[in-house]
Amino acid sequence: MRILLVEDDEALGGALRDHVRAEGHAVDWMRRLDDATEARAATPYDLILLDLGLPDGRGLDFLRALRREGKATPVMILTAMDQLSMRIDGLNAGADDYLVKPFDLDELIARLGAVARRYAGNPNPLLQLGPLELDLAHRHVARDGKPLDLTGREWAVLDRLAQHPGLLVSRSQLEDALFAFGAEVESNAVEVYVSRLRKKLGAGLIHTARGLGYRLAAEQ
Ligand code: CA
C-alpha cells in the first residue's frame, strides 16, 4: 500500500515510517498539514495515518476537508490516551479507525491491513487462486501448499494485485504501491518485479494486458 503519514513528533514519526516500510508499504511522511494537503492532492493514497495536533492546524480539519471533497481514502487517527472526545470527533468526522498512543507497532500493522481490506471491499484476508493460497493479513503465500519467500517489494506488487483478484491493475497503480514519494522510480521497475513474482509464483497467475496493466487470476 501507499500510505501518507501525518505526524509532527520526530521520534514517533520515524519509528512509524520505518516499521510500516519494513512491512513492505511505501510511506510518505509529512510533518505539517499544508505539506500533507499538497501530497494528498498529488498522490492517490491507499491509507492516511493522521495525528490530530499538527504545528499548522488540527488533523480533524484535514480529515473533514478530505471527506467534504467526497474522498473515501481510509483514515486512521492517532490520539493520546486522554483524548476520548477527540476520538469520538474523529470517528464522526469520517475516520475509519483510531489508535491510542503509545501503541504497539504490530497492532498498528494488523489494523492497517484490516482497514485497507475493508476499503478494498474484501474483508477476508484469505484468498485461493488455483494453486495459490494467499493470506494478506499475515503476508503468507503458498503454491500447492509450499510456502514462497517474497521480498518486501515483491509482496507490495502481489498485495496490490490481490486486492482486486481478476481485475486489471494499472502499471501506475503498481508503481504507486512500490515507491514512496520522491524515491527514485526506475522506468522498468514494475516489469522487473512482476517478472520476479512470476518466477516465484509459477506460470498462469499474473496476466499482462499489454499497455494497460496486470491481472491476478487462476485461469489462463
Ligand atoms: Ca502532534
Side-chain angles (χ1 to χ4, degrees), residues 7-8 51 53:
E7 170 62 75
D8 63 319
D51 178 34

mmCIF file of all heavy atoms in Angstrom, residues 7-8 51 53, ligand 1:
data_model
loop_
_atom_site.group_PDB
_atom_site.id
_atom_site.type_symbol
_atom_site.label_atom_id
_atom_site.label_comp_id
_atom_site.label_asym_id
_atom_site.label_seq_id
_atom_site.Cartn_x
_atom_site.Cartn_y
_atom_site.Cartn_z
ATOM 1 N N GLU A 7 2.434 13.303 10.919
ATOM 2 C CA GLU A 7 2.830 13.249 12.339
ATOM 3 C C GLU A 7 4.000 14.192 12.532
ATOM 4 O O GLU A 7 4.979 14.133 11.790
ATOM 5 C CB GLU A 7 3.220 11.805 12.689
ATOM 6 C CG GLU A 7 3.871 11.589 14.034
ATOM 7 C CD GLU A 7 2.972 11.980 15.209
ATOM 8 O OE1 GLU A 7 2.034 11.232 15.527
ATOM 9 O OE2 GLU A 7 3.218 13.058 15.783
ATOM 10 N N ASP A 8 3.899 15.097 13.535
ATOM 11 C CA ASP A 8 4.982 16.068 13.737
ATOM 12 C C ASP A 8 5.989 15.619 14.785
ATOM 13 O O ASP A 8 7.040 16.230 14.934
ATOM 14 C CB ASP A 8 4.415 17.445 14.104
ATOM 15 C CG ASP A 8 3.649 17.428 15.413
ATOM 16 O OD1 ASP A 8 2.903 16.452 15.640
ATOM 17 O OD2 ASP A 8 3.791 18.369 16.196
ATOM 18 N N ASP A 51 -2.124 12.190 12.756
ATOM 19 C CA ASP A 51 -2.027 12.756 14.091
ATOM 20 C C ASP A 51 -3.026 13.908 14.162
ATOM 21 O O ASP A 51 -3.358 14.509 13.134
ATOM 22 C CB ASP A 51 -0.583 13.250 14.295
ATOM 23 C CG ASP A 51 -0.388 13.913 15.643
ATOM 24 O OD1 ASP A 51 -1.032 13.489 16.622
ATOM 25 O OD2 ASP A 51 0.415 14.870 15.709
ATOM 26 N N GLY A 53 -2.845 16.771 16.359
ATOM 27 C CA GLY A 53 -2.302 18.088 16.655
ATOM 28 C C GLY A 53 -1.051 18.339 15.828
ATOM 29 O O GLY A 53 0.000 17.778 16.077
HETATM 30 CA CA CA B 1 1.312 16.139 17.240
#
